[in-house]
Amino acid sequence: MKRTSHRRIIIACLYLWVCTLLIPQAAAALQGGEWRLSGIVKGEDGTPLPGVSVALKGTPRGTATDESGRYTLSVTPQAGVLVFKFIGMLPQEIPFSGAGTQNVTLRSSEKSLNEVVVVGYGTMKKSSLTASVSKLENVKLDQVPVGRVESALTGRIAGVNVVQTSSAPGAPPVIRIRGAGSIDASNDPLVVIDGFPGAGLGSVSMNDIASIEVLKDASSAAIYGSRAAGGVIIVTTKKGRTGKPVLSVNSFAGVSSPMLHKDWITGQEFYDYAVRYQNRELAWAGGDVTIPVWGDDRRLAQYQVNPVLMNGVNNIWQDAVTQNAPFQNYNMSVSGGTENVRYYVSGTVKSEKGTIKTTGFNQYGIRANLDVKVNKVVSAGLMVNPIYSTRRLAPTSTVSLAKYPSFVPTKNDDGTYPRARDLWGAVVTSQANPMAILDGTQITQQAFSNIGELFIALQFTPDLSFRSSFAGNVSYGTNERFQARFATNNGISNGTASDNRNINLLNENVLSYNKTFGKHHDLNAIAGASFQRNTYRNAYMGVLPGSFENDIIKTLNNGIIDPSSTGSTKSAWGLMSYFARVNYAYKSKYLIAASVRADGSSRFGPDNQWGYFPSASAAWRVSEEDFLKGNALLSNLKLRASYGVTGNFNIGDFSWQGGIGSTVYSPNNQLGKGKAQTSLENRALSWEKTRSYDFGIDIGLFRNRINITADYYDKRTNDLLYSVAVPAISGFTGSISNIGDIGNKGFEIEINSQNLTGKFTWQTAFNFSMNRNKVLNMGVDKEKLFEDQYGMSWLLRVGEPMFSYYGYKAIGVITSNEVLNSGIPLYPGSRLGNPIYEDVNKDGNIDARDRVILGNYQPKAIIGMVNDFSYKNFDLSIAVQANLGAKVYNYENQYYQGALVGAMRRDLVKNQWWSEQEPGDGRTPAAALSTLNFQGRSDLYLENGSYFAVRNVNLGYNFPESISRRLRMSQLRMYCSVANLLMVTDKGYHGYNPEGYNGPYPGYNDGTEPINRVVTFGLNVQF
């Protein structure tokens, strides 16, 4: 890991953008005896066009026009077709049958403005949008080696923060669109796949995706009402096209390599630090550190150091439990159709080993999309997408595996697993051997899901249509866990099993009207109704610990069922909705839109069961005004403004009702078990509502060669669904209520540019976003504190970001008795080597009133950039990302500082205070289990989580048509891709993953998996 700063990261992004200009270009040698073609290429206004791509169709041969619009190209003496392409212009194909002059006039194209964007319950031209919507087309995303769709979005869309908190196979990233606005309810975006709301991105293969749209502001998302507060992600899958059948195969395979720490201490150095550690503990206990560390009864066993530490195997457990993990992905699809029937069928097989040994993920999926035009009025369609997956998980966190003492070998010669205490008594950890934990614990998940839809559409008139659909998402899952005796700390086997079923049914009916009145008035309107019901069942059971007769049979029939760990649950929710939207345009330059949705949900109290979510937006296409029309510099200028209201109903089922739970009572002095109310009823429980304003501008420069989209937004979430304390006299401790407000304000910009055209092309997509989160209202309570047992506190306070780190600020170390007795304010019970904390209120004492806000887990800025290059048949794509300003509570550090004579990392122990003679750097206190209470509650484990990453580099080669035709292929492409080629973090960051957290609160890292560098080789074939 290298040191970096915000300024260096930004400079690195800009440098990468500019330095790629130095990529050398090879000049094609002219061959004798060829036809010489030449001419001038002009625009509609007669102006010569420099940089126009001129290519011989079906071959890699080509050139580009010079500053005067002239081109010259030599070709083999054979009739062919010249293809002329230029940004902002319609391409042209000109046939030729001999040498000569071919002058061409290219016509303007508004392709980027007329690009179709999917919005809720319909589509719109990009030029007609009045809201903030980003679109990502699947050009090469299916060649990005990621386990899930979400990861391919990283750094590609402004305002969308994709956080890979875990590198475990199949683990979903966390997505936040324009910040988090809820405390107890979900902040996840609503995912809509082919019109089905509430699906998961894990249920679709990237190979099947045509495009992904993100509805970022409330105006665009309000049509989804009560589920859209976190934004909306719309996924559109591929459909068949009219024409002959096309068979496509996309296959890739590669290896994932964990990016590991290199500063582990072993051997003599490990022994020396262990002596320091034990002597320090002995000194704190008032003992004599001059007594020999081993074999002298005057030194208690708990303070001795076994020589086995320096004579052991020097086992680095991080390396022992990780591996270079192979993966492979195969997709085959067939598409085509006639004017009346179009089809797309695909199958995907995915296999991924985990970089933590024994872990892995396998997935098998089929997708079929069928569209049938019965006659001029009636059309129908069918979509099915069954997916089956299996997954094996790691039984514990990475830190629990890597922290084991280095003197313990992985296995004994007889195949058994040694433990630390087998080699050195009770001084060291009692944990089982890490490889025993991995080999002897089987946590497996199996899942099957099928999203299907059947629809019928009626085209009553050219302007009026109706679509009715019935869809369902049926999923089943099983979870099994078995842990053998040798894999547990106490030598007692255990096991559990559960299965669940979820059925989500949906009926939607939408009436659409599109009409142009006269020459200048365009009207688009929809009205619809939606009815959705979800049912869920879960059954689970476990065995009495230690009741497995042996470790061979791993199913529960080998043990005794534990009644207290056996049961089942059922739940259900329903949603009834009515919605409408109107879009109006005058002369295609004055645009207004409005929508409203009414949702009735079973999750809310009878007094507030219905919620209403309106929106309005307007835009002015200034570039269509006479004073700007035809402007050579400013080819597009649009101003946008929007307002909308969205909701959040993700609080669980029946939360408004008083809950019933198990309780113990003793009638007639006889102990019994029964049911009793556990929470208060709240019939007025209502929706969280997010009200959002957005002001945006779209700019196109130089015939839309450069496109800029910028937005400023201000969104406020009101009536938070929040668990509040109630008076104990009521017999209860809390109740869910609507209390509090959260605000998010931010700015984001996207710049897409065509930097170079012609034989060598270069395109750049750049985005920047920043969001400021703040608690605006907490009701009666002005703040609420969440405390970890030994660690950091997380604070909700009015005027501060959500879940701010809250604790003591370290300003030094008690390096000597002189400092200890100097009278400076110290934390109660402090001793030599402990930290000195700032006396914030200057009262001469260190207590809870001296705690301050220490930072936040949310980034201050996110930068993403993708550069695409092409030269002849080669193409290169480089995607980079920077995340700036976030802080991580890296609690795992304390496990690598010598506790229980476990694993040590040099960067975490070398600067510690060990004694008055070895005071360290004066900033790093003594770290030990006995001092966690002194260190964990401060900023000592708080680290800068900023990073710069080269997320993906993809180099591809398209074989010439002459070669692919010989192989009876229409297209043949091979590529190599590297994900996470480079990750640069702050020098003071010591974790595996600056985005990783697995603790109970945001930003809490207690041992997440390492980031993986992934090398992939792939092949695309089309017939």
Side-chain angles (χ1 to χ4, degrees):
M1 300 293 184
K2 300 178 181 179
R3 185 174 185 177
T4 188
S5 64
H6 296 182
R7 181 181 299 175
R8 290 180 180 176
I9 289 175
I10 295 173
I11 291 174
C13 290
L14 297 176
Y15 176 74
L16 179 61
W17 193 349
V18 175
C19 74
T20 46
L21 286 170
L22 302 178
I23 295 177
Q25 303 183 42
L30 298 177
Q31 301 177 6
E34 297 180 330
W35 290 347
R36 185 175 184 274
L37 305 174
S38 62
I40 300 176
V41 182
K42 299 180 179 180
E44 291 178 287
D45 57 359
T47 303
L49 298 176
V52 176
S53 170
V54 184
L56 179 60
K57 188 175 183 180
T59 75
R61 183 166 294 188
T63 185
T65 58
D66 60 18
E67 294 181 358
S68 302
R70 297 180 182 275
Y71 73 92
T72 300
L73 182 65
S74 295
V75 300
T76 55
Q78 181 181 353
V81 176
L82 289 182
V83 180
F84 297 82
K85 293 182 179 179
F86 189 66
I87 302 303
M89 301 289 183
L90 291 170
Q92 279 198 43
E93 296 187 1
I94 305 296
F96 66 89
S97 57
T101 301
Q102 300 282 353
N103 294 327
V104 177
T105 299
L106 296 182
R107 296 183 178 180
S108 177
S109 167
E110 293 194 359
K111 179 181 177 182
S112 62
L113 299 180
N114 292 329
E115 179 183 16
V116 174
V117 176
V118 178
V119 293
Y121 303 101
T123 60
M124 294 183 67
K125 290 191 300 183
K126 186 176 180 180
S127 61
S128 299
L129 284 175
T130 56
S132 181
V133 180
S134 290
K135 178 175 183 177
L136 189 62
E137 291 190 273
N138 185 8
V139 179
K140 295 177 185 174
L141 290 180
D142 50 8
Q143 299 171 17
V144 178
V146 294
R148 291 178 60 102
V149 171
E150 300 96 322
S151 298
L153 305 180
T154 303
R156 294 178 182 266
I157 301 177
V160 179
N161 187 21
V162 182
V163 182
Q164 190 72 51
T165 60
S166 171
S167 298
V174 174
I175 300 180
R176 293 291 177 263
I177 299 177
R178 293 185 169 181
S182 183
I183 296 174
D184 285 347
S186 172
N187 288 292
D188 294 338
L190 173 69
V191 176
V192 181
I193 300 179
D194 284 339
F196 190 95
L201 288 173
S203 64
V204 62
S205 168
M206 180 58 79
N207 297 279
D208 295 328
I209 293 176
S211 68
I212 298 174
E213 276 86 359
V214 180
L215 313 185
K216 296 188 288 188
D217 67 346
S219 173
S220 58
I223 196 70
Y224 288 106
S226 62
R227 292 176 287 181
V232 179
I233 297 176
I234 299 179
V235 176
T236 304
T237 61
K238 296 175 181 178
K239 304 292 192 295
R241 296 181 179 179
T242 301
K244 67 177 183 179
V246 176
L247 173 64
S248 299
V249 177
N250 179 19
S251 62
F252 60 80
V255 176
S256 297
S257 302
M259 301 167 69
L260 304 175
H261 299 311
K262 305 297 184 182
D263 61 337
W264 297 100
I265 295 174
T266 60
Q268 182 67 48
E269 186 181 11
F270 183 85
Y271 175 83
D272 292 341
Y273 273 111
V275 170
R276 288 186 179 96
Y277 187 93
Q278 294 293 74
N279 279 339
R280 187 175 63 193
E281 292 282 350
L282 179 60
W284 280 342
D288 182 3
V289 298
T290 63
I291 299 174
V293 296
W294 184 253
D296 193 319
D297 293 339
R298 291 177 298 164
R299 181 184 283 247
L300 296 177
Q302 68 192 75
Y303 300 118
Q304 295 192 17
V305 182
N306 195 322
V308 70
L309 270 66
M310 65 176 143
N311 301 323
V313 294
N314 298 332
N315 192 7
I316 298 176
W317 281 97
Q318 165 200 259
D319 299 340
V321 301
T322 58
Q323 62 184 357
N324 292 328
F327 65 90
Q328 52 191 328
N329 187 98
Y330 304 98
N331 174 264
M332 183 175 69
S333 66
V334 179
S335 63
T338 66
E339 292 184 2
N340 295 323
V341 179
R342 292 176 291 118
Y343 60 89
Y344 173 86
V345 181
S346 81
T348 302
V349 176
K350 179 190 302 181
S351 177
E352 180 183 358
K353 294 289 186 181
T355 52
I356 302 297
K357 290 180 178 178
T358 73
T359 63
F361 178 71
N362 297 287
Q363 189 177 71
Y364 313 89
I366 297 174
R367 173 170 287 275
N369 293 334
L370 178 66
D371 296 278
V372 179
K373 184 177 180 181
V374 180
N375 53 44
K376 293 183 179 181
V377 176
V378 181
S379 60
L382 173 70
M383 180 272 289
V384 292
N385 182 207
I387 289 182
Y388 171 74
S389 64
T390 62
R391 188 181 180 198
R392 181 167 175 178
L393 305 178
T396 187
S397 65
T398 303
V399 69
S400 295
L401 302 172
K403 70 180 183 179
Y404 215 59
S406 61
F407 59 84
V408 183
T410 304
K411 274 188 177 183
N412 292 319
D413 293 338
D414 60 0
T416 58
Y417 300 90
R419 298 185 179 218
R421 290 194 173 182
D422 295 340
L423 303 174
W424 181 15
V427 173
V428 293
T429 177
S430 62
Q431 177 184 307
N433 181 298
M435 277 310 304
I437 295 174
L438 291 176
D439 291 340
T441 308
Q442 294 187 12
I443 303 177
T444 57
Q445 297 178 342
Q446 299 184 60
F448 173 82
S449 68
N450 183 22
I451 298 179
E453 180 192 48
L454 180 66
F455 76 86
I456 184 170
L458 304 175
Q459 192 73 43
F460 299 119
T461 70
D463 309 316
L464 184 64
S465 63
F466 175 77
R467 188 182 191 275
S468 181
S469 64
F470 180 80
N473 183 3
V474 180
S475 61
Y476 296 88
T478 64
N479 295 272
E480 295 179 287
R481 185 181 191 278
F482 170 80
Q483 194 164 31
R485 294 177 177 87
F486 64 85
T488 64
N489 296 345
N490 57 11
I492 298 176
S493 59
N494 57 79
T496 60
S498 67
D499 72 275
N500 59 79
R501 178 193 68 207
N502 195 87
I503 301 176
N504 193 328
L505 302 178
L506 172 71
N507 169 238
E508 292 192 321
N509 307 276
V510 182
L511 185 68
S512 302
Y513 181 72
N514 294 277
K515 181 70 173 178
T516 298
F517 298 93
K519 296 182 179 180
H520 305 307
H521 304 276
D522 294 305
L523 181 67
N524 171 277
I526 65 168
S530 175
F531 309 96
Q532 191 165 6
R533 176 175 170 79
N534 188 91
T535 58
Y536 174 80
R537 180 196 63 84
N538 180 54
Y540 56 92
M541 64 175 61
V543 299
L544 291 170
S547 67
F548 277 102
E549 296 180 4
N550 54 62
D551 291 337
I552 300 173
I553 300 175
K554 301 176 176 61
T555 51
L556 300 191
N557 61 330
N558 191 31
I560 301 174
I561 300 300
D562 182 1
S564 65
S565 301
T566 301
S568 65
T569 61
K570 286 185 177 182
S571 190
W573 60 264
L575 187 69
M576 181 184 295
S577 309
Y578 302 95
F579 52 87
R581 181 178 61 220
V582 176
N583 294 83
Y584 170 74
Y586 176 65
K587 290 186 176 182
S588 296
K589 57 184 176 182
Y590 306 114
L591 314 171
I592 59 173
S595 72
V596 64
R597 180 171 178 128
D599 279 340
S601 172
S602 63
R603 287 181 166 175
F604 294 94
D607 298 343
N608 281 305
Q609 208 156 39
W610 283 87
Y612 302 92
F613 307 93
S615 77
S617 57
W620 176 26
R621 295 186 64 194
V622 186
S623 53
E624 292 299 302
E625 299 289 356
D626 293 338
F627 60 83
L628 272 182
K629 208 164 189 178
N631 188 289
L633 171 64
L634 196 61
S635 44
N636 178 47
L637 176 60
K638 181 167 67 174
L639 305 177
R640 296 178 282 105
S642 69
Y643 168 80
V645 181
T646 54
N648 191 337
F649 82 152
N650 294 302
I651 59 167
D653 305 326
F654 311 113
S655 294
W656 68 271
Q657 295 179 314
I660 301 295
S662 299
T663 187
V664 176
Y665 67 108
S666 54
N668 300 321
N669 294 321
Q670 296 294 319
L671 188 64
K673 188 176 182 180
K675 302 295 181 181
Q677 187 173 345
T678 57
S679 61
L680 286 174
E681 176 186 273
N682 184 358
R683 296 177 61 87
L685 188 66
S686 184
W687 321 80
E688 281 186 358
K689 288 189 176 181
T690 298
R691 294 169 171 83
S692 175
Y693 297 89
D694 185 282
F695 303 94
I697 183 171
D698 300 327
I699 302 173
L701 303 174
F702 309 111
R703 297 190 181 94
N704 294 320
R705 189 163 176 168
I706 300 175
N707 288 284
I708 303 171
T709 297
D711 285 87
Y712 170 80
Y713 60 88
D714 184 346
K715 68 176 187 177
R716 178 168 179 160
T717 303
N718 308 105
D719 301 326
L720 292 177
L721 297 165
Y722 183 55
S723 180
V724 297
V726 297
I729 196 173
S730 67
F732 307 102
T733 58
S735 174
I736 294 183
S737 302
N738 294 106
I739 294 177
D741 304 325
I742 300 290
N744 285 277
K745 295 181 180 181
F747 170 78
E748 57 194 36
I749 185 170
E750 294 181 349
I751 304 174
N752 294 280
S753 61
Q754 305 287 341
N755 307 316
L756 295 175
T757 60
K759 186 183 299 185
F760 176 70
T761 67
W762 174 23
Q763 305 174 23
T764 298
F766 174 85
N767 67 79
F768 171 88
S769 57
M770 56 184 294
N771 181 76
R772 296 295 179 263
N773 173 274
K774 185 183 294 186
V775 177
L776 302 176
N777 179 24
M778 289 286 293
V780 177
D781 298 325
K782 296 300 181 182
E783 61 183 46
K784 184 173 182 179
L785 198 62
F786 302 86
E787 296 184 272
D788 187 55
Q789 181 180 3
Y790 291 113
M792 182 64 65
S793 297
W794 281 258
L795 178 68
L796 293 174
R797 174 184 287 174
V798 174
E800 301 293 342
M802 292 169 55
F803 295 106
S804 294
Y805 300 115
Y806 190 67
Y808 299 100
K809 185 173 181 60
I811 57 175
V813 176
I814 306 173
T815 56
S816 64
N817 278 305
E818 181 181 356
V819 175
L820 181 65
N821 300 317
S822 65
I824 62 173
L826 296 174
Y827 191 85
S830 292
R831 53 192 178 185
L832 284 174
N834 285 165
I836 300 172
Y837 293 133
E838 182 178 359
D839 182 13
V840 175
N841 61 2
K842 309 299 181 184
D843 65 352
N845 298 302
I846 301 297
D847 53 32
R849 291 172 294 181
D850 293 303
R851 291 181 294 177
V852 295
I853 291 176
L854 301 170
N856 195 265
Y857 72 97
Q858 301 176 69
K860 295 179 180 178
I862 301 172
I863 302 172
M865 183 169 62
V866 180
N867 282 284
D868 292 308
F869 310 91
S870 67
Y871 177 72
K872 292 187 175 181
N873 286 17
F874 289 93
D875 58 81
L876 174 67
S877 178
I878 302 174
V880 301
Q881 183 200 18
N883 193 306
L884 309 176
K887 288 192 175 182
V888 178
Y889 182 60
N890 219 10
Y891 191 59
E892 71 170 309
N893 286 354
Q894 60 101 2
Y895 295 108
Y896 304 138
Q897 294 179 317
L900 293 177
V901 201
M904 298 187 200
R905 288 183 52 203
R906 190 172 295 105
D907 282 350
L908 295 174
V909 300
K910 65 181 181 180
N911 293 321
Q912 279 191 47
W913 184 93
W914 294 104
S915 66
E916 289 192 73
Q917 293 72 39
E918 291 185 277
D921 61 4
R923 299 186 304 272
T924 308
L929 290 180
S930 58
T931 64
L932 285 184
N933 192 51
F934 293 91
Q935 296 167 200
R937 303 183 187 277
S938 72
D939 59 352
L940 288 169
Y941 291 136
L942 205 60
E943 298 183 340
N944 184 357
S946 299
Y947 66 85
F948 169 82
V950 180
R951 285 298 189 185
N952 188 258
V953 177
N954 188 303
L955 176 64
Y957 178 74
N958 295 283
F959 286 85
E961 190 173 346
S962 57
I963 295 178
S964 59
R965 281 183 175 178
R966 289 177 196 168
L967 300 174
R968 305 202 174 190
M969 303 172 182
S970 59
Q971 181 180 328
L972 176 61
R973 181 177 190 271
M974 61 183 294
Y975 62 91
C976 174
S977 179
V978 182
N980 296 321
L981 176 64
L982 176 68
M983 173 71 75
V984 182
T985 63
D986 186 82
K987 182 180 180 181
Y989 182 76
H990 296 96
Y992 286 115
N993 180 2
E995 292 185 323
Y997 62 84
N998 59 347
Y1001 304 109
Y1004 191 128
N1005 176 28
D1006 196 21
T1008 56
E1009 302 86 357
I1011 296 173
N1012 297 327
R1013 180 175 291 118
V1014 185
V1015 179
T1016 305
F1017 294 92
L1019 189 68
N1020 296 130
V1021 180
Q1022 194 172 94
F1023 299 91

